Amino acid sequence: MNFPSTYWVYPLAAVLGYLCYRLGCWVQKGRTERAEYRELLAVYREILPKITHGRVRLISPAEYRAAYAGDDPLLIIDVEQKDDIPRVRQTVDEFFADFIPHWKEVRSPILTALSEAVTNVVKHTPGGRVLVYLESTGPRFHVEDCGSGMDLAKLPAMVFVSGYSETSSLGAGFTVMLRYTQQMEICTSAEGTALVLRTHLASPLNRERRGKEEGHALSCCPAVEAGHGCGQNYTWQ
Amino acid sequence: MLKVTVVKGVPDVVIKLEGSLDMGTGHSLQRTVEELDLDRIHNLTVSLSGLDIIDSTGIGQLIGYHRILSRKNGRVLIENDNREIEEILGLIGVREILGS
Protein backbone atom coordinates (compact mmCIF):
# COMPACT_ATOMS: atom_id res chain seq x y z
CA MET A 1 0.00 0.00 0.00
CA ASN A 2 1.29 3.41 -0.95
CA PHE A 3 0.99 6.07 1.74
CA PRO A 4 0.04 9.49 0.50
CA SER A 5 2.91 11.91 0.13
CA THR A 6 1.38 13.94 2.93
CA TYR A 7 1.99 11.14 5.46
CA TRP A 8 4.18 13.45 7.51
CA VAL A 9 1.08 15.53 8.33
CA TYR A 10 -0.15 12.95 10.86
CA PRO A 11 2.70 13.13 13.40
CA LEU A 12 2.82 16.89 12.93
CA ALA A 13 -0.89 17.09 13.74
CA ALA A 14 -0.28 14.95 16.82
CA VAL A 15 2.51 17.24 18.01
CA LEU A 16 0.43 20.34 17.29
CA GLY A 17 -2.50 18.81 19.12
CA TYR A 18 -0.34 18.10 22.14
CA LEU A 19 1.06 21.64 22.10
CA CYS A 20 -2.46 23.09 21.91
CA TYR A 21 -3.44 20.90 24.86
CA ARG A 22 -0.43 22.18 26.89
CA LEU A 23 -1.22 25.76 25.90
CA GLY A 24 -4.82 25.27 27.00
CA CYS A 25 -3.62 23.89 30.35
CA TRP A 26 -1.28 26.85 30.77
CA VAL A 27 -4.01 29.40 29.95
CA GLN A 28 -6.42 27.61 32.26
CA LYS A 29 -3.79 27.55 35.04
CA GLY A 30 -3.22 31.30 34.56
CA ARG A 31 -6.96 31.93 34.74
CA THR A 32 -7.27 29.82 37.87
CA GLU A 33 -4.32 31.59 39.49
CA ARG A 34 -5.74 35.01 38.64
CA ALA A 35 -9.12 33.97 39.98
CA GLU A 36 -7.49 32.67 43.17
CA TYR A 37 -5.53 35.92 43.51
CA ARG A 38 -8.71 37.97 43.12
CA GLU A 39 -10.43 35.79 45.70
CA LEU A 40 -7.52 36.20 48.12
CA LEU A 41 -7.56 39.95 47.54
CA ALA A 42 -11.29 40.09 48.23
CA VAL A 43 -10.89 38.10 51.46
CA TYR A 44 -8.02 40.26 52.69
CA ARG A 45 -9.83 43.45 51.82
CA GLU A 46 -12.66 42.32 54.02
CA ILE A 47 -10.80 40.82 56.97
CA LEU A 48 -7.73 43.07 57.33
CA PRO A 49 -9.62 46.15 58.58
CA LYS A 50 -11.62 43.92 60.93
CA ILE A 51 -8.72 42.13 62.57
CA THR A 52 -6.65 45.32 62.84
CA HIS A 53 -9.54 47.52 64.04
CA GLY A 54 -9.40 49.56 60.84
CA ARG A 55 -5.67 50.21 61.04
CA VAL A 56 -4.71 48.21 57.93
CA ARG A 57 -6.66 48.49 54.71
CA LEU A 58 -6.04 46.90 51.34
CA ILE A 59 -7.10 49.20 48.52
CA SER A 60 -7.12 48.83 44.74
CA PRO A 61 -5.09 51.11 42.43
CA ALA A 62 -8.38 52.71 41.32
CA GLU A 63 -9.34 53.39 44.93
CA TYR A 64 -5.86 54.76 45.62
CA ARG A 65 -6.13 57.18 42.69
CA ALA A 66 -9.69 58.15 43.59
CA ALA A 67 -8.82 58.82 47.24
CA TYR A 68 -5.61 60.72 46.72
CA ALA A 69 -5.89 62.41 43.35
CA GLY A 70 -5.73 66.16 43.28
CA ASP A 71 -3.64 67.14 46.24
CA ASP A 72 -0.04 68.27 45.84
CA PRO A 73 2.56 66.68 48.09
CA LEU A 74 4.74 68.95 50.23
CA LEU A 75 7.80 66.92 49.35
CA ILE A 76 8.71 64.27 46.79
CA ILE A 77 11.83 62.27 47.57
CA ASP A 78 13.19 59.63 45.21
CA VAL A 79 14.33 56.31 46.66
CA GLU A 80 16.69 53.94 44.95
CA GLN A 81 19.59 52.86 47.12
CA LYS A 82 20.58 52.22 50.73
CA ASP A 83 21.91 55.74 51.29
CA ASP A 84 18.45 57.08 50.53
CA ILE A 85 17.04 55.61 53.76
CA PRO A 86 18.84 58.02 56.16
CA ARG A 87 18.52 60.78 53.53
CA VAL A 88 14.72 60.47 53.40
CA ARG A 89 14.56 60.47 57.19
CA GLN A 90 16.80 63.50 57.47
CA THR A 91 14.88 65.46 54.80
CA VAL A 92 11.55 64.77 56.48
CA ASP A 93 13.00 65.48 59.93
CA GLU A 94 14.36 68.87 58.92
CA PHE A 95 11.19 69.74 57.02
CA PHE A 96 8.76 69.06 59.88
CA ALA A 97 11.04 70.60 62.51
CA ASP A 98 10.12 73.96 60.96
CA PHE A 99 6.41 73.13 60.66
CA ILE A 100 5.51 71.39 63.88
CA PRO A 101 6.44 73.00 67.22
CA HIS A 102 6.63 69.77 69.26
CA TRP A 103 8.15 67.73 66.42
CA LYS A 104 11.14 66.70 68.55
CA GLU A 105 8.85 64.90 71.01
CA VAL A 106 7.01 62.87 68.39
CA ARG A 107 9.54 62.49 65.56
CA SER A 108 11.18 59.21 66.57
CA PRO A 109 8.29 56.72 66.01
CA ILE A 110 7.17 58.56 62.87
CA LEU A 111 10.64 58.53 61.32
CA THR A 112 11.16 54.88 62.32
CA ALA A 113 7.94 53.81 60.59
CA LEU A 114 8.96 55.76 57.48
CA SER A 115 12.40 54.17 57.61
CA GLU A 116 10.85 50.70 57.56
CA ALA A 117 8.71 51.49 54.52
CA VAL A 118 11.63 53.01 52.62
CA THR A 119 13.84 50.04 53.53
CA ASN A 120 11.27 47.73 51.92
CA VAL A 121 11.52 49.73 48.70
CA VAL A 122 15.33 49.51 48.68
CA LYS A 123 15.39 45.81 49.64
CA HIS A 124 12.70 44.45 47.35
CA THR A 125 12.18 46.78 44.40
CA PRO A 126 14.16 48.67 41.73
CA GLY A 127 13.18 51.96 43.37
CA GLY A 128 10.39 54.35 44.16
CA ARG A 129 9.60 57.58 45.89
CA VAL A 130 8.16 59.09 49.03
CA LEU A 131 5.41 61.69 48.90
CA VAL A 132 4.96 63.75 52.05
CA TYR A 133 1.71 65.39 53.12
CA LEU A 134 0.56 67.06 56.29
CA GLU A 135 -2.97 66.49 57.53
CA SER A 136 -4.53 68.25 60.50
CA THR A 137 -3.72 65.25 62.68
CA GLY A 138 -0.18 64.60 61.53
CA PRO A 139 2.11 63.76 58.61
CA ARG A 140 1.01 61.29 55.97
CA PHE A 141 3.52 59.46 53.80
CA HIS A 142 2.97 57.66 50.54
CA VAL A 143 5.78 55.23 49.87
CA GLU A 144 5.43 54.13 46.26
CA ASP A 145 7.60 51.66 44.39
CA CYS A 146 7.78 50.22 40.91
CA GLY A 147 8.35 46.64 42.04
CA SER A 148 6.31 43.62 41.04
CA GLY A 149 3.86 43.88 43.95
CA MET A 150 3.61 42.30 47.37
CA ASP A 151 3.12 38.59 47.84
CA LEU A 152 -0.36 38.61 49.31
CA ALA A 153 0.10 35.10 50.67
CA LYS A 154 2.66 36.53 53.09
CA LEU A 155 0.40 39.28 54.34
CA PRO A 156 -1.26 37.35 57.20
CA ALA A 157 2.16 36.37 58.54
CA MET A 158 3.24 40.01 58.44
CA VAL A 159 0.13 41.15 60.27
CA PHE A 160 -0.11 38.34 62.79
CA VAL A 161 3.50 37.42 63.50
CA SER A 162 5.01 40.22 65.50
CA GLY A 163 8.69 40.68 65.99
CA TYR A 164 11.70 38.96 64.60
CA SER A 165 11.34 35.36 63.60
CA GLU A 166 14.22 32.96 64.07
CA THR A 167 14.32 32.15 60.40
CA SER A 168 13.49 35.40 58.68
CA SER A 169 13.02 39.09 59.16
CA LEU A 170 9.58 38.86 57.61
CA GLY A 171 7.12 40.83 59.68
CA ALA A 172 9.55 42.76 61.89
CA GLY A 173 9.36 45.89 59.75
CA PHE A 174 5.62 45.53 59.38
CA THR A 175 5.23 45.20 63.15
CA VAL A 176 7.12 48.46 63.61
CA MET A 177 5.07 50.28 60.96
CA LEU A 178 1.84 49.02 62.45
CA ARG A 179 2.84 50.10 65.93
CA TYR A 180 4.13 53.53 64.96
CA THR A 181 1.40 54.63 62.56
CA GLN A 182 -2.23 55.42 63.04
CA GLN A 183 -3.36 53.73 59.84
CA MET A 184 -1.79 51.91 56.90
CA GLU A 185 -3.27 51.49 53.47
CA ILE A 186 -1.73 48.98 51.09
CA CYS A 187 -2.25 49.28 47.37
CA THR A 188 -0.40 46.57 45.51
CA SER A 189 -0.49 45.28 41.95
CA ALA A 190 1.91 43.81 39.40
CA GLU A 191 2.90 47.39 38.49
CA GLY A 192 4.01 48.34 41.98
CA THR A 193 3.00 49.00 45.55
CA ALA A 194 1.97 52.11 47.41
CA LEU A 195 1.93 52.20 51.19
CA VAL A 196 0.03 55.04 52.80
CA LEU A 197 1.28 55.66 56.32
CA ARG A 198 -0.94 57.96 58.32
CA THR A 199 0.77 59.14 61.49
CA HIS A 200 -0.73 61.07 64.37
CA LEU A 201 0.96 63.81 66.34
CA ALA A 202 -1.21 62.97 69.35
CA SER A 203 -1.25 59.24 68.70
CA PRO A 204 -2.33 56.64 71.27
CA LEU A 205 1.36 55.75 71.42
CA ASN A 206 2.37 59.21 72.49
CA ARG A 207 -0.50 59.50 74.94
CA GLU A 208 0.35 56.06 76.30
CA ARG A 209 3.95 57.16 76.78
CA ARG A 210 2.94 60.32 78.58
CA GLY A 211 0.54 58.29 80.72
CA LYS A 212 3.33 55.93 81.71
CA GLU A 213 5.57 58.84 82.56
CA GLU A 214 2.83 60.27 84.76
CA GLY A 215 2.50 56.91 86.49
CA HIS A 216 -0.72 55.67 84.92
CA ALA A 217 -0.96 53.79 81.65
CA LEU A 218 -3.75 54.94 79.41
CA SER A 219 -5.68 52.42 77.41
CA CYS A 220 -7.17 54.19 74.48
CA CYS A 221 -8.23 53.14 71.07
CA PRO A 222 -9.58 56.18 69.24
CA ALA A 223 -11.31 55.82 65.94
CA VAL A 224 -8.98 56.10 63.05
CA GLU A 225 -9.52 59.28 61.18
CA ALA A 226 -10.23 58.59 57.56
CA GLY A 227 -8.41 61.16 55.45
CA HIS A 228 -9.50 61.78 51.91
CA GLY A 229 -8.88 64.08 49.03
CA CYS A 230 -5.12 64.19 49.09
CA GLY A 231 -2.39 62.82 46.94
CA GLN A 232 -1.99 62.95 43.23
CA ASN A 233 -2.74 60.84 40.25
CA TYR A 234 0.26 58.60 40.14
CA THR A 235 1.12 56.12 37.48
CA TRP A 236 3.85 53.62 38.14
CA GLN A 237 6.67 53.73 35.66
CA MET B 1 24.67 58.77 59.94
CA LEU B 2 26.32 56.38 62.35
CA LYS B 3 29.31 56.99 64.59
CA VAL B 4 30.97 53.82 65.83
CA THR B 5 33.42 53.98 68.74
CA VAL B 6 35.36 50.94 69.93
CA VAL B 7 35.51 51.32 73.72
CA LYS B 8 37.21 47.95 74.34
CA GLY B 9 38.98 45.63 71.91
CA VAL B 10 39.02 41.85 71.44
CA PRO B 11 38.09 39.36 72.73
CA ASP B 12 35.27 40.96 74.74
CA VAL B 13 34.53 43.95 72.57
CA VAL B 14 32.54 46.99 73.66
CA ILE B 15 31.20 49.27 70.92
CA LYS B 16 29.33 52.52 71.36
CA LEU B 17 26.91 53.64 68.62
CA GLU B 18 25.68 57.15 68.00
CA GLY B 19 23.33 58.41 65.29
CA SER B 20 21.11 56.00 63.40
CA LEU B 21 21.45 52.28 62.72
CA ASP B 22 19.60 51.07 59.66
CA MET B 23 20.23 49.50 56.26
CA GLY B 24 21.78 52.73 54.99
CA THR B 25 24.23 53.22 57.86
CA GLY B 26 24.91 49.66 59.05
CA HIS B 27 28.01 49.37 56.84
CA SER B 28 29.96 51.56 59.32
CA LEU B 29 29.33 49.04 62.10
CA GLN B 30 30.01 46.14 59.74
CA ARG B 31 33.36 47.65 58.75
CA THR B 32 34.38 48.08 62.40
CA VAL B 33 33.38 44.52 63.25
CA GLU B 34 35.32 43.21 60.24
CA GLU B 35 38.39 45.21 61.28
CA LEU B 36 38.18 43.76 64.78
CA ASP B 37 37.77 40.32 63.13
CA LEU B 38 34.62 38.50 64.14
CA ASP B 39 36.63 35.29 64.61
CA ARG B 40 38.59 36.94 67.43
CA ILE B 41 35.51 38.37 69.18
CA HIS B 42 33.99 36.37 72.03
CA ASN B 43 31.33 38.70 73.42
CA LEU B 44 30.20 41.87 71.68
CA THR B 45 28.64 44.51 73.91
CA VAL B 46 26.87 47.24 71.95
CA SER B 47 25.81 50.45 73.63
CA LEU B 48 22.72 51.86 71.94
CA SER B 49 22.02 54.73 74.36
CA GLY B 50 23.49 57.29 71.98
CA LEU B 51 21.33 56.18 69.05
CA ASP B 52 18.69 58.46 67.67
CA ILE B 53 16.93 55.85 65.51
CA ILE B 54 17.20 52.10 65.09
CA ASP B 55 14.94 50.10 62.79
CA SER B 56 14.28 46.41 62.23
CA THR B 57 17.17 46.07 59.75
CA GLY B 58 19.59 47.60 62.29
CA ILE B 59 18.31 45.23 64.94
CA GLY B 60 18.62 42.39 62.43
CA GLN B 61 22.30 43.23 62.00
CA LEU B 62 22.88 42.84 65.75
CA ILE B 63 20.93 39.57 65.76
CA GLY B 64 23.15 38.41 62.86
CA TYR B 65 26.30 39.01 64.92
CA HIS B 66 24.72 37.19 67.85
CA ARG B 67 23.99 34.14 65.68
CA ILE B 68 27.61 34.01 64.56
CA LEU B 69 29.07 34.52 68.07
CA SER B 70 26.69 32.07 69.72
CA ARG B 71 28.16 29.27 67.55
CA LYS B 72 31.34 29.62 69.61
CA ASN B 73 29.59 30.26 72.94
CA GLY B 74 29.81 34.01 72.66
CA ARG B 75 26.98 36.49 72.46
CA VAL B 76 25.86 40.02 71.73
CA LEU B 77 24.94 42.06 74.78
CA ILE B 78 22.93 45.26 74.53
CA GLU B 79 23.42 48.25 76.81
CA ASN B 80 20.74 50.88 76.58
CA ASP B 81 19.04 53.48 78.72
CA ASN B 82 17.30 55.28 75.85
CA ARG B 83 13.52 54.91 76.29
CA GLU B 84 12.63 55.20 72.60
CA ILE B 85 15.27 52.68 71.55
CA GLU B 86 14.16 50.32 74.33
CA GLU B 87 10.60 50.49 73.06
CA ILE B 88 11.49 49.24 69.60
CA LEU B 89 13.79 46.57 71.07
CA GLY B 90 10.82 45.37 73.10
CA LEU B 91 8.51 45.53 70.11
CA ILE B 92 10.75 43.27 68.05
CA GLY B 93 11.58 41.09 71.04
CA VAL B 94 15.31 41.37 70.55
CA ARG B 95 16.23 40.86 74.21
CA GLU B 96 14.46 37.49 74.19
CA ILE B 97 16.41 36.48 71.09
CA LEU B 98 19.72 37.64 72.57
CA GLY B 99 18.84 36.26 75.98
CA SER B 100 19.72 39.55 77.67
Side-chain angles (χ1 to χ4, degrees):
Chain A
M1 176 180 176
N2 289 330
F3 287 107
S5 59
T6 53
Y7 174 68
W8 56 271
V9 164
Y10 301 114
L12 182 67
V15 169
L16 277 176
Y18 176 73
L19 286 176
C20 285
Y21 167 74
R22 295 297 302 178
L23 183 67
C25 288
W26 182 73
V27 169
Q28 184 58 36
K29 187 168 170 254
R31 275 186 190 150
T32 311
E33 278 174 1
R34 281 196 296 278
E36 281 173 0
Y37 184 85
R38 279 197 299 272
E39 250 175 60
L40 201 61
L41 199 66
V43 170
Y44 287 168
R45 279 166 63 92
E46 194 174 331
I47 63 163
L48 271 176
K50 286 181 182 163
I51 58 174
T52 60
H53 304 285
R55 293 188 59 207
V56 181
R57 288 180 65 219
L58 203 56
I59 59 173
S60 69
E63 284 172 319
Y64 179 70
R65 283 192 293 273
Y68 298 111
D71 204 25
D72 289 329
L74 299 169
L75 287 174
I76 300 178
I77 313 164
D78 288 328
V79 176
E80 198 178 336
Q81 52 195 4
K82 284 195 285 189
D83 294 346
D84 293 332
I85 301 164
R87 189 177 61 82
V88 166
R89 234 180 13 236
Q90 193 183 345
T91 308
V92 168
D93 196 17
E94 287 170 0
F95 182 77
F96 281 124
D98 294 334
F99 263 92
I100 300 166
H102 62 298
W103 174 247
K104 266 192 181 282
E105 294 168 34
V106 297
R107 61 186 276 284
S108 178
I110 293 174
L111 293 176
T112 307
L114 179 61
S115 193
E116 296 291 354
V118 174
T119 300
N120 280 343
V121 173
V122 175
K123 266 187 188 171
H124 304 297
T125 78
R129 63 181 190 170
V130 177
L131 309 176
V132 182
Y133 304 86
L134 183 59
E135 293 182 341
S136 58
T137 48
R140 190 184 77 230
F141 305 101
H142 292 212
V143 182
E144 301 175 335
D145 68 59
C146 48
S148 53
M150 282 171 71
D151 185 353
L152 284 182
K154 288 178 180 167
L155 207 54
M158 289 195 280
V159 175
F160 287 118
V161 182
S162 70
Y164 223 93
S165 109
E166 278 298 314
T167 51
S168 96
S169 64
L170 181 72
F174 198 86
T175 305
V176 174
M177 282 192 281
L178 200 56
R179 169 70 173 162
Y180 288 164
T181 58
Q182 188 77 358
Q183 190 194 43
M184 283 174 62
E185 285 174 321
I186 304 166
C187 170
T188 189
S189 74
E191 283 78 43
T193 298
L195 272 186
V196 178
L197 305 178
R198 197 167 266 118
T199 64
H200 206 300
L201 293 172
S203 68
L205 180 70
N206 288 322
R207 274 186 270 165
E208 196 180 295
R209 283 174 167 178
R210 281 202 284 275
K212 275 180 188 162
E213 278 168 16
E214 287 160 14
H216 58 279
L218 297 176
S219 61
C220 47
C221 184
V224 174
E225 184 176 349
H228 296 289
C230 304
Q232 63 175 37
N233 197 343
Y234 177 65
T235 47
W236 285 295
Q237 290 146 25
Chain B
M1 308 312 119
L2 179 67
K3 184 182 171 194
V4 184
T5 310
V6 179
V7 180
K8 192 167 172 282
V10 289
D12 291 317
V13 173
V14 179
I15 286 176
K16 188 180 163 193
L17 301 181
E18 291 166 278
S20 58
L21 178 60
D22 60 28
M23 192 185 177
T25 61
H27 57 86
S28 306
L29 174 61
Q30 178 63 20
R31 196 167 49 236
T32 304
V33 169
E34 279 170 7
E35 279 167 10
L36 287 164
D37 190 354
L38 209 50
D39 288 339
R40 294 170 61 214
I41 300 175
H42 181 234
N43 290 326
L44 174 62
T45 302
V46 188
S47 170
L48 305 181
S49 301
L51 279 184
D52 181 37
I53 300 264
I54 186 168
D55 68 6
S56 63
T57 310
I59 290 172
Q61 191 172 347
L62 301 178
I63 293 171
Y65 296 141
H66 180 73
R67 285 183 181 150
I68 295 168
L69 295 181
S70 61
R71 283 186 218 132
K72 43 180 191 165
N73 298 320
R75 60 191 290 202
V76 166
L77 296 124
I78 286 178
E79 277 181 3
N80 175 53
D81 60 8
N82 179 326
R83 182 174 55 87
E84 277 167 344
I85 298 295
E86 196 58 42
E87 189 174 284
I88 191 168
L89 297 180
L91 188 60
I92 290 184
V94 67
R95 290 203 181 275
E96 286 79 6
I97 296 170
L98 301 185
S100 60

